[in-house]
Amino acid sequence: MTEVSLNQITKKFGKQTVLNDISLQLKPDTIYGLLGRNGAGKSTLLNILTNRIPASSGSVLIDGQTNINNDRVLGKIYLMSEANLYPNRAKVFQIFRQTAHFYSGFDFELAHQLASKFGLNENLRFSKLSTGYRSILKDIIALSVDAELILLDEPTLGLDANHRELFYRELVETYAQRPRTFVISTHLIEEIAGMIENVLLIRDGKLLLDDTAENLLAQSYSVTGPEKEVQEYTAGLNVIGHDNLGKLRSDYVFGQLDEERVLPDTVTVEGIDLQKLFINLTGQTDKEGQL
Amino acid sequence: MTEVSLNQITKKFGKQTVLNDISLQLKPDTIYGLLGRNGAGKSTLLNILTNRIPASSGSVLIDGQTNINNDRVLGKIYLMSEANLYPNRAKVFQIFRQTAHFYSGFDFELAHQLASKFGLNENLRFSKLSTGYRSILKDIIALSVDAELILLDEPTLGLDANHRELFYRELVETYAQRPRTFVISTHLIEEIAGMIENVLLIRDGKLLLDDTAENLLAQSYSVTGPEKEVQEYTAGLNVIGHDNLGKLRSDYVFGQLDEERVLPDTVTVEGIDLQKLFINLTGQTDKEGQL
């Protein structure tokens, strides 16, 4: 079990502050969803965790030790990202071997099995792989290394529906067999919603939410009905967004409802899913609410 | 209104047959979903439609005329694809202007509006755009050109949930204002399911389905219950796949049910969605059925 803590991480590129004072602890053996808009700072955060880029200030501690110039610590982490780090001429099986030089417990048997299930030909050169199959190769490596902390940055980019389903199934399977911590950054929120135990939501470089998916969904509502009644009912509540359809209106509420309020017959209250919550918390237009 | 027909299109790369005798007519002013696994031949088909690559045999006719070396015909088609055709140093507004040289009715007003809605800075150089914003730029151009046939190859690659929602909304809006034909190739089937009128499904280089979404869904079922009862009920029907959960089983059926069969109390029949249908029609493992 590996303990991971980020302490007041700030990252600036020139005058732009990409990450702003982020502190968090990752619980061991937990599947995290790392959510945020394009440009919110998710990839930067993952790159800092693995020391691919330096933070402007703050520290990352893995089991109490810095991750800077520390191969023993970095061997506990694997980052799957969009970056293509492999030589174009290297063949798939050679990339597996090369990975095993750094991650000595690399599970070749699992990697071969997965390559076969995904239809990845191990004799192909990296340069010949499509966008989807490059993601698949990197996903296979991520599931096969013996690291304790697996960071997945858009693991399903370019994957078709069958391959995405297969990938989620294999991830859960390997997690059950050998629990470790996964951090999954993706734009396909609903597809991973059933799998993630904890949500990290970054907005404008700040950590906006760090809570269990269960807690978040238990306080996320849509309130739908005639515009006037809906607005009377949600007045003073934390309305994070709304939709209109003709004269009907849905207000999205994040936080507790007022139990003393009487719900008119014409108005219905329902839970919303994680993607709807995300869209309303991070949308920039027509949004009146806040956390 | 533009008429598009593909006549016995076959494409070979070396010994590999990527497209195998594909014939179809595109109805005018219709939104098509072009579905298929990675490697099924979707992108090849779109590239042949726009004469970016030649077919090995067969012809493409646009309003009765060949698309080969025919700028007048190619001006009626726009292909948005993963290929990055712009100079790295070109700025966004320059790329708009360059596009207007070929598509003289390019709608600059719409392009500016969309750039603003998507948060795309028109002064950025192409090389500075992320994967998501490259897709957004190409999507904006696709919606702004005055072509009659708009081909979109993975238009939401790298887009976050809000941007995907915005894109679908803007596509439907511009389609309502100026009807034309869209062909959307995507792996996010459920997100476009509500928008597409007609489905084209390619499997192993062959056109497997060409039908309205309505017709397809009207004959797609899941049959769920205890394994034995389910298998008795679906015996002889066109079972295209199944899932198991403990002792429960779901068989997926494509085609008419047998109305004379008695449905046991323990078994339920429900419709399935387009993504589920797709996964079961195109999956390669554990599938016993066929079209």
Side-chain angles (χ1 to χ4, degrees):
Chain A
M1 294 218 304
T2 289
E3 313 251 311
V4 180
S5 71
L6 281 75
N7 309 293
Q8 299 180 291
I9 292 286
T10 290
K11 177 67 186 180
K12 298 182 183 191
F13 289 114
K15 287 185 177 171
Q16 199 196 355
T17 302
V18 177
L19 294 175
N20 190 349
D21 196 25
I22 295 209
S23 295
L24 63 90
Q25 273 77 44
L26 295 180
K27 290 173 273 187
D29 303 346
T30 303
I31 301 182
Y32 281 84
L34 175 61
L35 309 182
R37 302 288 307 264
N38 278 324
K42 303 185 300 297
S43 297
T44 304
L45 187 71
L46 297 178
N47 277 302
I48 288 174
L49 257 168
T50 50
N51 196 36
R52 283 198 197 164
I53 60 173
S56 304
S57 61
S59 63
V60 174
L61 297 179
I62 314 283
D63 291 332
Q65 296 198 313
T66 176
N67 68 341
I68 299 174
N69 299 328
N70 190 336
D71 273 3
R72 218 174 62 78
V73 154
L74 292 175
K76 298 179 183 178
I77 314 178
Y78 181 82
L79 169 59
M80 177 272 170
S81 75
E82 271 194 72
N84 291 319
L85 304 172
Y86 306 111
N88 270 328
R89 289 185 52 78
K91 294 182 174 177
V92 168
F93 75 88
Q94 292 168 328
I95 292 173
F96 288 161
R97 281 194 209 151
Q98 182 190 326
T99 305
H101 286 162
F102 193 69
Y103 297 96
S104 55
F106 184 81
D107 187 342
F108 280 99
E109 196 186 322
L110 179 60
H112 293 319
Q113 276 176 13
L114 291 174
S116 160
K117 285 184 183 175
F118 279 101
L120 172 64
N121 178 344
E122 293 190 30
N123 286 309
L124 282 181
R125 296 188 194 280
F126 187 74
S127 61
K128 295 289 181 196
L129 302 180
S130 64
T131 307
Y133 271 106
R134 287 181 187 199
S135 295
I136 286 170
L137 168 62
K138 292 184 268 187
D139 288 335
I140 290 174
I141 293 172
L143 299 186
S144 303
V145 293
D146 56 338
E148 291 288 317
L149 174 61
I150 310 294
L151 310 173
L152 300 166
D153 196 359
E154 288 286 346
T156 56
L157 197 76
L159 265 63
D160 64 40
N162 310 49
H163 281 149
R164 296 201 304 278
E165 219 182 53
L166 177 60
F167 172 67
Y168 302 135
R169 213 159 54 220
E170 294 294 334
L171 191 153
V172 168
E173 171 74 21
T174 174
Y175 172 73
Q177 298 219 345
R178 179 162 65 83
R180 52 210 191 273
T181 299
F182 286 92
V183 179
I184 309 171
S185 172
T186 182
H187 292 311
L188 304 184
I189 299 174
E190 265 317 287
E191 292 196 348
I192 62 158
M195 189 158 69
I196 57 182
E197 301 163 79
N198 205 102
V199 173
L200 302 171
L201 175 58
I202 296 186
R203 190 176 68 184
D204 300 333
K206 291 218 164 214
L207 184 64
L208 197 71
L209 294 177
D210 175 1
D211 204 346
T212 63
E214 204 182 340
N215 282 346
L216 294 174
L217 293 177
Q219 53 183 310
S220 304
Y221 305 95
S222 68
V223 180
T224 303
E227 178 142 19
K228 188 160 159 287
E229 280 91 332
V230 166
Q231 288 186 298
E232 279 172 12
Y233 183 77
T234 61
L237 300 180
N238 185 33
V239 177
I240 54 173
H242 71 266
D243 282 323
N244 283 85
L245 189 67
K247 291 193 170 176
L248 285 183
R249 179 185 174 102
S250 288
D251 272 2
Y252 302 107
V253 175
F254 182 65
Q256 291 317 309
L257 299 178
D258 181 347
E259 303 210 342
E260 311 229 318
R261 268 177 224 202
V262 180
L263 187 70
D265 286 347
T266 51
V267 175
T268 53
V269 173
E270 290 180 315
I272 60 176
D273 63 30
L274 200 57
Q275 176 152 318
K276 201 86 189 170
L277 175 64
F278 171 83
I279 287 176
N280 282 285
L281 279 176
T282 64
Q284 267 128 38
T285 49
D286 298 324
K287 299 300 169 204
E288 50 234 34
Q290 53 184 10
L291 270 185
Chain B
M1 294 218 302
T2 289
E3 313 251 313
V4 180
S5 71
L6 281 75
N7 310 292
Q8 298 181 291
I9 291 286
T10 290
K11 176 67 186 179
K12 298 183 183 191
F13 290 114
K15 288 184 178 172
Q16 198 195 354
T17 302
V18 177
L19 294 175
N20 190 349
D21 195 24
I22 295 209
S23 295
L24 63 90
Q25 274 78 46
L26 294 180
K27 290 173 273 187
D29 303 347
T30 302
I31 301 181
Y32 282 84
L34 174 60
L35 310 182
R37 301 288 308 264
N38 277 324
K42 304 184 301 295
S43 297
T44 303
L45 187 71
L46 297 178
N47 277 302
I48 288 173
L49 258 167
T50 49
N51 196 35
R52 283 197 196 163
I53 60 174
S56 303
S57 61
S59 63
V60 173
L61 297 179
I62 314 284
D63 290 332
Q65 296 198 314
T66 175
N67 68 341
I68 297 174
N69 300 327
N70 191 336
D71 273 3
R72 217 175 62 79
V73 154
L74 292 175
K76 298 181 184 179
I77 313 178
Y78 181 82
L79 168 60
M80 177 273 169
S81 75
E82 271 193 72
N84 292 318
L85 304 172
Y86 306 111
N88 270 328
R89 289 185 52 78
K91 294 181 175 177
V92 168
F93 73 88
Q94 293 169 328
I95 292 173
F96 288 162
R97 281 193 209 151
Q98 182 191 326
T99 305
H101 286 161
F102 193 69
Y103 298 96
S104 56
F106 185 81
D107 187 342
F108 280 99
E109 196 186 322
L110 178 62
H112 293 319
Q113 276 175 12
L114 291 174
S116 160
K117 285 184 184 175
F118 279 100
L120 171 64
N121 179 344
E122 293 190 30
N123 286 309
L124 281 182
R125 295 187 195 282
F126 187 75
S127 61
K128 295 289 181 197
L129 301 180
S130 65
T131 306
Y133 271 105
R134 287 179 188 201
S135 295
I136 285 170
L137 168 62
K138 291 183 269 187
D139 288 335
I140 290 175
I141 293 171
L143 298 186
S144 303
V145 293
D146 56 338
E148 291 288 316
L149 173 61
I150 310 293
L151 310 173
L152 301 165
D153 196 359
E154 287 287 344
T156 56
L157 196 76
L159 265 63
D160 64 40
N162 311 48
H163 280 149
R164 295 200 304 277
E165 220 182 51
L166 177 59
F167 171 67
Y168 301 134
R169 214 159 52 220
E170 295 293 334
L171 191 154
V172 169
E173 171 74 21
T174 174
Y175 172 71
Q177 299 220 342
R178 180 163 65 84
R180 50 212 192 270
T181 299
F182 286 92
V183 179
I184 309 172
S185 171
T186 181
H187 292 312
L188 304 184
I189 299 173
E190 264 319 286
E191 292 195 348
I192 62 158
M195 188 157 70
I196 56 183
E197 300 163 81
N198 206 103
V199 173
L200 303 170
L201 174 57
I202 296 186
R203 189 175 69 183
D204 300 333
K206 291 217 162 214
L207 184 64
L208 197 71
L209 294 178
D210 175 2
D211 204 345
T212 63
E214 204 181 340
N215 282 347
L216 293 175
L217 293 177
Q219 52 184 309
S220 305
Y221 306 95
S222 68
V223 181
T224 303
E227 179 142 18
K228 188 161 159 289
E229 280 92 331
V230 165
Q231 288 186 297
E232 279 171 12
Y233 183 78
T234 61
L237 300 180
N238 185 33
V239 177
I240 54 172
H242 71 266
D243 282 323
N244 283 85
L245 190 69
K247 293 192 170 180
L248 285 182
R249 178 185 175 102
S250 288
D251 272 3
Y252 302 107
V253 175
F254 183 65
Q256 292 316 310
L257 300 178
D258 181 347
E259 302 210 342
E260 312 228 319
R261 267 176 225 202
V262 180
L263 188 69
D265 285 348
T266 51
V267 175
T268 54
V269 173
E270 291 180 315
I272 60 176
D273 62 31
L274 200 56
Q275 177 151 316
K276 202 84 189 169
L277 175 64
F278 171 84
I279 288 176
N280 283 286
L281 279 175
T282 63
Q284 269 128 36
T285 49
D286 299 324
K287 300 300 169 205
E288 50 234 34
Q290 54 184 9
L291 270 183

